[in-house]
Amino acid sequence: MALYKQSIHSLYHQPLRIEHLQPLLQICNNILLNHFMSTHRKRKPPKVVLPRPQISEKKLYKRFVDYLPVRVKGGDGGNGLVAFSSLPCKEWAGPDGGNGGNGGHVIAVASHNVSSLARIKRDLKGNNGVPGRTRCQHGKNADHLYVNVPLGTMVKDKTTRTVLADLKKENQSYILGRGGAGGHGNHYYLSNELRAPTIAEEGGKGEERELILEMRVSAHVGLVGFPNAGKSTLLTTLSRAKPKVADYPFTTLNPHIGMVEYNDGVQVAVADIPGLIEGSHMNRGLGISFLRHIEKCLCLLYVLDMSAKDPLWHLEQLQYELEQYMQHLSKRPHAIVANKIDLPESRSNVELLRNSVKLPVIEVSGKEHWNIDSLKQEIRKLHDRFASYNSQTT
């Protein structure tokens, strides 16, 4: 500041020279530099926008669930209230505690708009009732919790495995867990003998159960085969389903459903069943859970890898595993799909297979989209002959 005053004084008492302006220029530079540094410090660093992480394949591919254990609990009832009224002209007006509302039920409803149990939560809890209030105001009854399930869903007890309900028709319902009743308030206990009751009732607890939801029929046609036989590739070619496709075995761990559409508006559900191995009926490689999915298919398509050494042995082994799991399961309406026909070693195996079996053999190539129309016609024949009858779904 002293330097600034000295420079001003020199301007008024001495002739103006360039040397006199140097202190002023230095002061202005310092002021501008301090202002720049202060404003630069207050600025926030720019936000770094990170790219979105890629969706994992477990979330990318939708799962099809036809067997789901659930824990159900009905809503609790609201508690009753102990209260006494006091009016301007009547200080002791008597008890006025209201009753609690009833708890909500958990109800399963069959609907044709639902095709899988994947969207149902494993823990289903009903809504609780509202407690009672003063002036004899009763609590509100809770709304019921409705759970939409596919047509043909069976409700079983988890411990005894007994079938409690079979929801076959549209809007058919079953109460999975009942809600508790609302408790009575002290006004409910008012009588000539008891004019000032000081007791109230707690709301009832909701019913708790452990159940199993299981679909009776999951698909019209099931693709059965050994691992890496090309079942997922075929389903991708036949429908708009997008199962995981890779060149290693056990790519598919959960069944996938695809809809095969025809010109007349008919849709046929085709299921990609995870691959079976030798000893699946003894639960090797999660064989029991995979065979359970096959049990819920009306018709079967044996998908054979024609580039293997002995496709006929694969067919016999698949039929053996099905028979060991359930009698006459392999006798369901079926056909043979000779896949990977585009490979050079497959041509000789096809001729040997045709001479050994008396079943229709459809030669296809899921990768090259070869002869897919013939496979669709065979699927439609199986659907029209067997899957359209209601007697086959029971």
Side-chain angles (χ1 to χ4, degrees):
M1 197 65 183
L3 181 62
Y4 176 76
K5 290 181 179 180
Q6 183 180 358
S7 61
I8 296 297
H9 180 76
S10 62
L11 288 175
Y12 282 100
H13 296 84
Q14 295 181 8
L16 183 63
R17 295 181 181 180
I18 298 177
E19 293 82 0
H20 298 158
L21 297 177
Q22 290 181 355
L24 290 176
L25 294 175
Q26 185 179 0
I27 293 172
C28 293
N29 289 335
N30 293 335
I31 294 174
L32 292 176
L33 180 62
N34 294 333
H35 177 71
F36 173 77
M37 293 299 295
S38 61
T39 55
H40 184 69
R41 289 173 184 173
K42 293 180 181 179
R43 291 180 182 177
K44 295 182 179 180
K47 294 183 178 180
V48 179
V49 181
L50 299 176
R52 291 185 178 181
Q54 294 183 356
I55 302 176
S56 62
E57 297 202 355
K58 289 184 179 179
K59 296 182 180 180
L60 181 62
Y61 303 110
K62 295 182 180 180
R63 290 184 55 189
F64 175 79
V65 180
D66 57 356
Y67 180 90
L68 183 66
V70 294
R71 184 184 293 108
V72 183
K73 184 183 184 305
D76 298 334
N79 297 329
L81 182 67
V82 177
F84 293 91
S85 177
S86 179
L87 301 177
C89 299
K90 189 176 182 181
E91 183 178 0
W92 307 101
D96 64 347
N99 302 334
N102 299 327
H105 302 329
V106 180
I107 304 174
V109 182
S111 174
H112 69 279
N113 296 323
V114 183
S115 59
S116 173
L117 302 174
R119 295 183 177 273
I120 300 177
K121 297 181 180 179
R122 293 183 178 269
D123 292 328
L124 302 174
K125 185 176 181 181
N127 301 315
N128 297 331
V130 179
R133 301 176 62 181
T134 59
R135 297 185 181 181
C136 299
Q137 298 182 59
H138 299 326
K140 180 183 177 181
N141 295 331
D143 297 331
H144 301 313
L145 176 63
Y146 294 95
V147 181
N148 292 329
V149 297
L151 293 175
T153 300
M154 296 182 296
V155 181
K156 296 182 179 180
D157 186 85
K158 189 174 182 179
T159 56
T160 61
R161 303 285 175 170
T162 56
V163 179
L164 304 177
D166 192 357
L167 308 179
K168 300 179 182 179
K169 300 179 181 180
E170 182 72 16
N171 295 329
Q172 187 177 357
S173 61
Y174 175 75
I175 300 178
L176 302 178
R178 295 184 177 274
H184 295 122
N186 64 338
H187 183 268
Y188 175 82
Y189 298 99
L190 179 64
S191 63
N192 293 331
E193 291 79 11
L194 186 61
R195 302 303 301 171
T198 57
I199 56 175
E201 186 181 11
E202 292 184 353
K205 300 298 181 181
E207 183 182 12
E208 296 186 22
R209 304 170 73 181
E210 291 190 358
L211 304 172
I212 294 176
L213 302 179
E214 184 175 0
M215 295 176 58
R216 182 180 292 274
V217 176
S218 60
H220 300 120
V221 181
L223 302 178
V224 184
F226 274 78
N228 208 21
K231 301 182 295 298
S232 300
T233 305
L234 273 181
L235 184 65
T236 306
T237 307
L238 291 170
S239 65
R240 291 181 293 179
K242 299 298 181 183
K244 183 180 179 181
V245 179
D247 57 351
Y248 54 85
F250 292 106
T251 306
T252 303
L253 297 178
N254 298 288
H256 294 269
I257 299 293
M259 302 303 295
V260 180
E261 300 179 354
Y262 294 90
N263 295 331
D264 55 354
V266 177
Q267 293 183 341
V268 180
V270 179
D272 174 20
I273 308 298
L276 302 179
I277 61 174
E278 188 176 357
S280 294
H281 67 279
M282 295 183 292
N283 204 23
R284 291 181 182 175
L286 299 177
I288 296 298
S289 61
F290 297 163
L291 289 168
R292 187 187 298 117
H293 299 308
I294 300 175
E295 179 187 354
K296 299 170 187 176
C297 297
L298 301 179
C299 308
L300 304 178
L301 284 178
Y302 294 104
V303 181
L304 303 179
D305 183 4
M306 301 312 297
S307 63
K309 294 183 179 180
D310 192 358
L312 181 60
W313 179 85
H314 286 186
L315 176 62
E316 295 175 352
Q317 189 65 32
L318 289 173
Q319 293 177 341
Y320 173 77
E321 295 295 335
L322 297 184
E323 285 296 325
Q324 292 298 316
Y325 173 73
M326 176 183 290
Q327 193 175 5
H328 303 303
L329 181 57
S330 64
K331 304 300 181 182
R332 288 187 179 182
H334 58 275
I336 300 175
V337 179
N339 196 18
K340 301 184 181 182
I341 200 63
D342 55 310
L343 300 179
E345 59 271 18
S346 302
R347 184 57 58 184
S348 58
N349 291 333
V350 171
E351 299 299 331
L352 294 176
L353 183 64
R354 287 185 179 275
N355 298 331
S356 302
V357 297
K358 298 181 180 180
L359 296 172
V361 179
I362 302 99
E363 304 176 14
V364 299
S365 174
K367 182 179 180 181
E368 302 295 336
H369 294 216
W370 186 76
N371 205 23
I372 298 299
D373 293 336
S374 300
L375 179 58
K376 287 185 177 181
Q377 293 177 4
E378 185 64 29
I379 292 175
R380 181 61 185 272
K381 290 179 183 178
L382 293 175
H383 174 269
D384 292 342
R385 289 173 54 191
F386 303 99
S388 60
Y389 295 101
N390 295 329
S391 60
Q392 296 292 328
T393 62
T394 58

